[in-house]
Amino acid sequence: MDDAPHDDETTGLTVEEPSTWAAGVPAVRHALEYSLEQTTVPRTARTLLTMNQVDGIDCPGCAWPDPEVGHRSRNEYCENGAKHINDEATRRRVTPGFFRAHPVDDLASRSDRWLNQQGRLTEPMVKRPGSDHYEPIGWNEAFALVADELRSLDSPDQASFYTSGRVSNEAAFLFQLFARAYGTNNLPDCSNMCHESSGFALHETLGTGKGSVSLLDLENADLILLVGQNPGSNHPRQLSALETAKLNGARIVAVNPLPEAGLRRFKNPQKPRGVVGRGTEIADRLLQVRPGGDLALFQALNRMLLEAEDRAPGTVLDRDFIESSTDGFDTFAEHVRGVDLAEVLEETGLTLDEIGAVHEDVLQSDRVVVCWAMGLTQQRHAVPTIREIVNFLLLRGNVGRPGTGPCPVRGHSNVQGDRTMGIWEQMPDAFLDSLRDEFGFEPPREHGVDAVGTIRAMRDGEVSVFFGLAGNFVRAAPDSEATEAALRRCRLTVQVSTKLNRSHAVCGETALILPALGRTELDVQDSGPQFLTVEDSMSQVHTTRGRLTPASPHLLSEVAIVCRLARATLDGSQAIPWTDFEADYGHVRDRISRIVPGFHDYDRRVTRPGGFTLPNPVNEGVFPTETGAARFTTNRGRATRPPAGHLVLQTLRSHDQWNTVPYTDDDRYRGIHGSRQVVMVNRDDLLDLGLSDGDTVDVVGVWDDGVDRRASGFTVVAYPTPRGGAAAYYPETNVLVPLDSVAETSNQPTYKDVVVRLEKVGSRPDRAPEGATA
Ligand code: SF4
């Protein structure tokens, strides 16, 4: 970083040099400190030693897969996973007395961190119309209340049923079944906001919305490109796989606007070289691309590959694969040959040498994997960018062979599984036909609303009941003020949750909090103890089994909540055995095995150690696209060019954060401590803008609808972002992301593509005169 470390006494902010490495002994220390702050030594030991182990608890954090059985370490988790699990296993409790002491307005004034730190919810609570407090309600009365409201709607489409990626396969399958038996496809989920763009692009080009890469592929690749990804904070165990790949001889190229610590070096705390040595260098090259410049970068690489083939025919492209398994090559090639390299340099902010070096890496690599995450998917041109990555892979046959392929890295533990289970507003007819044949009702065929569509529909009075199965919708969603206003318009909002969050405080006229069992807890139903199942980012399906005593005797499992809600709401004309499903989750898996492709004999296969991996047609050389071939595509789109005096802001998570929940106000790897009200800006841009490190600014969103979107009182931190780009924390700056600013085709909000200006409201007291620091 190009600014001296400093403290700001007024905000509590301390800034120091960003770390050049991730994990190591400090990660272990921080994980244990947080865990022991939340719970006891025996409980911490119990959760951590069973986490990500066979027959243990699946980490509720990200969706990174577990190594094969026999290759797992005794401590198969990262710093963040340890925090996530013990955040849930906390001994702190939110009781009815807490709600008596804290009216809803008070809760709405609290920070995300404060709300989370209050502990586990213990009883169902209701906020009745006109009241400003939640009060206890019995489960039966709560279900009757929701059922009455749902039955009173003119149309089932006036309700929307949101799912978070923490929800198990069983609960997700039942939730979509309930929504469709009730009569709507309004099934938004968190995937609408994280990897929807990946699904659209991959489905169109390869015929499946999932990645095709396994851990073994990653570890055996010659070249790995990490694009728009911060594995050190968001998928930390990926660093272990990258370390193995490096030791196997892989080269790694990181393409990211920020030089994140985890992209540089990894100190594996489970290896001596990670404890006392320098650790492993991760990225051989770090390309600090401008926000939105990734499409241009891959087009340049594709043009270079075509030209290399022209110079040495038959040596660069995989002609056999292109001819036998793809279509659209000629049109694509003609388009990409016309890519203007001068424009590419402008779009990417990179030099020709930097791009040329990656091109040489590609030429020397027989097996290439491209990983990406939300740094790509949340751009305006995310779908064309991912399609261009597929072009890049297809050119040299880097799809479907060992050590190759596309690898979208999902951010929440079962977000991929929930989609497989039918949580999607656009499920294909074949799936709906199977539901009809199995359960004797006609599911609705008209597509429902996604996350953005739900907010618009609530805003416009077209949806008046919002039901959230886990998650924190109001904080995860864009355009915070618009989303809050939309939720407040609802007649009824319902949140199934383990802990308190802002979605309980920003609610409808009537609001319910339904407290659920967590992943860590024993789930006993009429047939005995139950286990649940999940699918990770690499399509491995396996069990998760909690063992702790539940936080309160009043909790219900998510499966039980959905089953009881369905029994209270539906008229029973469908042949759906809700009571049996609740009593024995094996019955749910039996039905899933008859409906969802790849899940035959589910209940037996999933209990094998390590579970099973879903088939991916791409790895069989089959591309179930419209044409039956892998598709080259022609892609267009320019990075957002902010007007003079403006920047393109990306929202991002700190290291010490899980989705919408910050555990502390520190971002250790970026060297930012004590405050999240910061905006990171390149020093040269600060000079151009007449600002200095430490100034206080309002960050003001610029969009053409005339709405004043403003995040006030942020401290400017000079940071090595690319010129023209800025960064600030999610969810605090979601307020700046316009609801209508979405990725083309996928409708995914553009959290990484927000035009802002910085309005100065104050200076750092000890700041040197303008221009005095270099
Ligand atoms: S890498 Fe992801 S799944 Fe693994 S322990 Fe960390 S947060 Fe959990």
Side-chain angles (χ1 to χ4, degrees):
M1 201 171 73
D2 51 1
D3 192 56
H6 63 79
D7 295 344
D8 186 330
E9 286 175 8
T10 50
T11 62
L13 173 68
T14 309
V15 181
E16 57 185 25
E17 291 291 325
S19 177
T20 54
W21 53 272
V25 175
V28 179
R29 195 182 71 239
H30 282 276
L32 288 179
E33 273 172 13
Y34 189 79
S35 299
L36 296 176
E37 204 182 292
Q38 297 298 318
T39 187
T40 60
V41 173
R43 278 166 74 88
T44 297
R46 252 183 119 187
T47 52
L48 294 186
L49 291 177
T50 60
M51 189 164 167
N52 296 329
Q53 303 294 339
V54 171
D55 215 25
I57 308 163
D58 179 63
C59 174
C62 77
W64 191 252
D66 305 321
E68 272 180 37
V69 175
H71 291 83
R72 296 183 193 177
S73 76
R74 194 78 187 96
N75 298 294
E76 197 55 63
Y77 53 84
C78 68
E79 173 191 347
N80 293 357
K83 288 177 181 168
H84 304 335
I85 205 95
N86 286 311
D87 192 64
E88 180 188 295
T90 181
R91 304 292 282 186
R92 299 175 186 168
R93 297 289 180 266
V94 175
T95 61
F98 169 90
F99 286 106
R100 278 195 296 279
H102 296 281
V104 175
D105 282 351
D106 176 49
L107 298 178
S109 71
R110 304 289 184 160
S111 70
D112 299 294
R113 186 177 159 207
W114 186 92
L115 292 167
N116 177 62
Q117 287 298 321
Q118 301 315 301
R120 290 288 302 276
L121 297 160
T122 53
E123 289 187 38
M125 305 295 296
V126 62
K127 185 199 81 69
R128 300 189 189 276
S131 172
D132 60 354
H133 278 81
Y134 277 99
E135 60 190 79
I137 182 173
W139 277 108
N140 288 343
E141 192 191 343
F143 291 127
L145 190 158
V146 183
D148 285 349
E149 189 64 40
L150 289 175
R151 282 196 301 256
S152 75
L153 298 178
D154 294 334
S155 157
D157 289 334
Q158 290 173 336
S160 190
F161 299 91
Y162 174 76
T163 310
S164 139
R166 181 176 59 76
V167 172
S168 65
N169 279 356
E170 289 80 359
F173 178 80
L174 294 178
F175 196 49
Q176 63 81 31
L177 179 62
F178 163 66
R180 292 187 164 113
Y182 168 66
T184 184
N185 280 317
N186 286 350
L187 285 157
D189 68 346
C190 60
S191 192
N192 297 150
M193 296 179 274
C194 68
H195 267 286
E196 202 63 65
S197 301
S198 304
F200 271 83
L202 292 176
H203 200 272
E204 182 185 346
T205 53
L206 299 177
T208 169
K210 300 179 183 179
S212 62
V213 170
S214 69
L215 264 185
L216 211 59
D217 290 326
L218 192 67
E219 290 172 358
N220 289 297
D222 293 332
L223 177 65
I224 300 167
L225 284 89
L226 307 172
V227 190
Q229 224 211 316
N230 178 15
S233 292
N234 298 330
H235 329 276
R237 277 190 308 150
Q238 186 181 3
L239 295 180
S240 303
L242 295 173
E243 180 180 51
T244 305
K246 289 289 298 225
L247 296 175
N248 288 343
R251 293 184 71 72
I252 296 180
V253 174
V255 181
N256 199 58
L258 267 57
E260 306 288 13
L263 299 173
R264 300 170 123 185
R265 215 146 28 89
F266 171 46
K267 293 194 180 187
N268 188 337
Q270 304 201 30
K271 292 189 177 169
R273 60 189 285 149
V275 176
V276 292
R278 279 179 48 79
T280 305
E281 187 179 65
I282 294 294
D284 297 281
R285 302 184 197 290
L286 175 55
L287 271 55
Q288 272 196 266
V289 68
R290 280 198 180 133
D294 309 86
L295 173 56
L297 171 63
F298 278 93
Q299 288 189 316
L301 290 171
N302 289 341
R303 177 184 147 168
M304 289 174 174
L305 287 173
L306 292 174
E307 290 172 350
E309 173 76 5
D310 293 343
R311 289 192 296 274
T315 64
V316 175
L317 305 189
D318 187 340
R319 283 279 175 195
D320 288 346
F321 174 75
I322 291 170
E323 272 155 33
S324 66
S325 303
T326 71
D327 64 19
F329 173 78
D330 291 341
T331 314
F332 150 76
E334 188 186 338
H335 174 70
V336 100
R337 282 178 193 282
V339 165
D340 179 344
L341 289 180
E343 248 176 47
V344 168
L345 302 188
E346 172 68 25
E347 289 270 299
T348 60
L350 303 172
T351 66
L352 205 50
D353 283 350
E354 285 177 297
I355 300 174
V358 180
H359 168 68
E360 288 300 323
D361 289 337
V362 177
L363 289 181
Q364 285 163 27
S365 305
D366 183 44
R367 299 182 300 276
V368 179
V369 167
V370 183
C371 303
W372 68 87
M374 290 186 282
L376 267 200
T377 62
Q378 294 178 338
Q379 298 177 15
R380 201 154 42 96
H381 301 304
V383 174
T385 303
I386 298 165
R387 286 194 308 230
E388 196 65 32
I389 288 174
V390 173
N391 290 340
F392 169 75
L393 291 167
L394 293 178
L395 278 176
R396 284 170 60 83
N398 279 310
V399 171
R401 288 190 292 119
T404 70
C407 182
V409 182
R410 315 262 170 185
H412 204 167
S413 67
N414 198 38
V415 64
Q416 186 163 310
D418 291 345
R419 182 59 61 88
T420 307
M421 291 297 114
I423 300 288
W424 193 28
E425 74 283 354
Q426 305 179 29
M427 282 307 278
D429 278 342
F431 181 88
L432 302 176
D433 290 347
S434 296
L435 285 186
R436 177 196 61 206
D437 298 345
E438 186 69 27
F439 295 112
F441 74 94
E442 186 57 56
R445 302 285 166 156
E446 204 171 305
H447 289 174
V449 286
D450 60 6
V452 166
T454 292
I455 299 165
R456 289 184 183 136
M458 291 189 296
R459 175 196 65 193
D460 299 340
E462 292 161 4
V463 159
S464 59
V465 175
F466 176 87
F467 192 112
L469 185 60
N472 182 5
F473 182 76
V474 73
R475 290 303 266 164
D479 218 340
S480 309
E481 287 181 11
T483 299
E484 295 196 358
L487 278 159
R488 287 189 163 114
R489 277 203 74 181
C490 285
R491 281 173 52 82
L492 172 66
T493 52
V494 185
Q495 268 300 139
V496 177
S497 305
T498 54
K499 299 188 81 178
L500 200 60
N501 65 44
R502 190 166 173 82
S503 293
H504 307 122
V506 177
C507 53
E509 194 181 0
T510 301
L512 279 167
I513 301 174
L514 304 182
L517 288 176
R519 282 260 176 101
T520 52
E521 291 167 330
L522 202 57
D523 182 352
V524 181
Q525 302 297 338
D526 283 354
S527 67
Q530 307 294 310
F531 64 86
L532 293 161
T533 59
V534 293
E535 175 187 339
D536 64 36
S537 206
M538 293 182 177
S539 304
Q540 294 174 188
V541 182
H542 59 87
T543 61
T544 175
R545 196 188 294 264
R547 288 194 167 74
L548 297 182
T549 305
S552 152
H554 305 296
L555 305 184
L556 288 181
S557 73
E558 286 164 352
V559 167
I561 289 171
V562 176
C563 289
R564 293 186 193 193
L565 173 66
R567 287 207 303 269
T569 307
L570 302 175
D571 60 11
S573 62
Q574 312 86 357
I576 306 177
W578 297 107
T579 305
D580 293 348
F581 285 161
E582 180 182 341
D584 182 349
Y585 301 173
H587 292 311
V588 186
R589 289 185 287 273
D590 281 347
R591 299 304 185 102
I592 292 171
S593 71
R594 300 217 281 265
I595 289 170
V596 184
F599 280 80
H600 61 278
D601 203 9
Y602 186 11
D603 202 35
R604 188 184 64 78
R605 288 197 300 148
V606 82
T607 51
R608 289 180 194 155
F612 61 92
T613 303
L614 289 169
N616 189 310
V618 166
N619 289 333
E620 311 297 321
V622 175
F623 300 100
T625 61
E626 275 181 16
T627 60
R631 312 195 71 178
F632 280 100
T633 52
T634 301
N635 299 301
R636 292 182 175 79
R638 305 287 297 265
T640 301
R641 300 262 170 105
H646 293 70
L647 302 167
V648 177
L649 177 94
Q650 61 166 322
T651 72
L652 40 71
R653 287 179 280 184
S654 71
H655 179 64
D656 213 6
Q657 176 172 357
W658 178 35
N659 294 332
T660 58
V661 181
Y663 292 138
T664 67
D665 286 341
D666 300 333
D667 190 1
R668 199 168 81 242
Y669 292 165
R670 297 195 186 103
I672 294 169
H673 301 268
S675 174
R676 294 172 56 85
Q677 297 271 113
V678 299
V679 56
M680 294 165 248
V681 184
N682 185 288
R683 167 159 291 283
D684 291 334
D685 284 329
L686 288 182
L687 284 174
D688 287 354
L689 295 169
L691 293 168
S692 295
D693 181 74
D695 281 350
T696 306
V697 295
D698 284 357
V699 189
V700 182
V702 176
W703 189 249
D704 59 6
D705 59 2
V707 175
D708 183 38
R709 294 184 177 83
R710 186 174 290 263
S712 298
F714 277 56
T715 304
V716 171
V717 172
Y719 201 85
T721 60
R723 291 297 308 270
Y729 294 120
Y730 159 107
E732 288 86 344
T733 48
N734 288 2
V735 67
L736 301 170
V737 185
L739 188 60
D740 292 334
S741 178
V742 291
E744 55 196 67
T745 322
S746 69
N747 211 33
Q748 181 168 343
T750 58
Y751 299 86
K752 299 289 188 285
D753 200 347
V754 189
V755 177
V756 298
R757 66 173 186 273
L758 306 182
E759 289 183 1
K760 183 172 168 179
V761 295
S763 301
R764 192 170 97 207
D766 61 346
R767 204 188 76 205
E770 209 69 52
T773 53

